[in-house]
Amino acid sequence: MTTHAMPLRFFIVEDNAIIALDLTRRIEKRGHVVVGIADSADPAIQGVLETLPDCVLMDIRLRGEVDGIMVTEEINRISPRPVAYLTAYSDAGMVQRAALTNPVAFIIKPVRDADILRLITSIRSV
């Protein structure tokens, strides 16, 4: 009898609904679960704290004045979760600021299937 690993639980914080739905499809296609989606800071923090996912996919640029790095700092303060940043930008200052939150990954948009597979493997090893 073979045993299968439990599905991972993801929370997606992404201000582009099309990207959020695409990520959901890619994650669920691999047998994992998306427990919530938010597009701005307050719903993201509340959703992550309510669902306690195995990993948060966090867009760095969000709706409103609070960015994904600040959201991650707040989540880490209350109930740390592994975070993988999603970004279309990779300027050095932003990467340096984000790195201080100890993310498990940086994924550059557009997200590829290989990025999702690497992230799943990385989360399994945490």
Side-chain angles (χ1 to χ4, degrees):
M1 181 174 143
T2 59
T3 58
H4 296 286
M6 292 291 295
L8 293 173
R9 301 169 70 248
F10 290 86
F11 194 99
I12 298 171
V13 183
E14 168 60 61
D15 64 349
N16 182 313
I18 293 169
I19 292 173
L21 291 173
D22 179 59
L23 288 168
T24 298
R25 181 189 57 78
R26 290 173 190 236
I27 289 166
E28 291 177 346
K29 184 171 87 173
R30 284 164 182 74
H32 302 287
V33 180
V34 173
V35 295
I37 298 172
D39 67 358
S40 60
D42 289 339
I45 293 166
Q46 181 179 349
V48 169
L49 296 177
E50 287 175 0
T51 61
L52 300 175
D54 298 306
C55 183
V56 180
L57 289 172
M58 180 71 69
D59 188 7
I60 289 180
R61 308 247 186 218
L62 300 176
R63 294 190 195 287
E65 294 187 20
V66 178
D67 68 17
I69 299 167
M70 291 183 239
V71 171
T72 299
E73 290 169 341
E74 182 67 8
I75 291 167
N76 283 345
R77 190 180 65 73
I78 299 168
S79 179
R81 309 270 104 205
V83 171
Y85 284 113
L86 302 167
T87 185
Y89 311 95
S90 58
D91 71 83
M94 182 268 311
V95 169
Q96 189 173 37
R97 216 176 113 230
L100 294 174
T101 65
N102 298 313
V104 294
F106 282 94
I107 300 173
I108 305 298
K109 295 177 187 176
V111 178
R112 299 170 302 144
D113 284 341
D115 299 324
I116 299 293
L117 290 172
R118 260 191 309 281
L119 176 61
I120 290 167
T121 300
S122 174
I123 295 303
R124 288 251 186 249
S125 67
V126 170

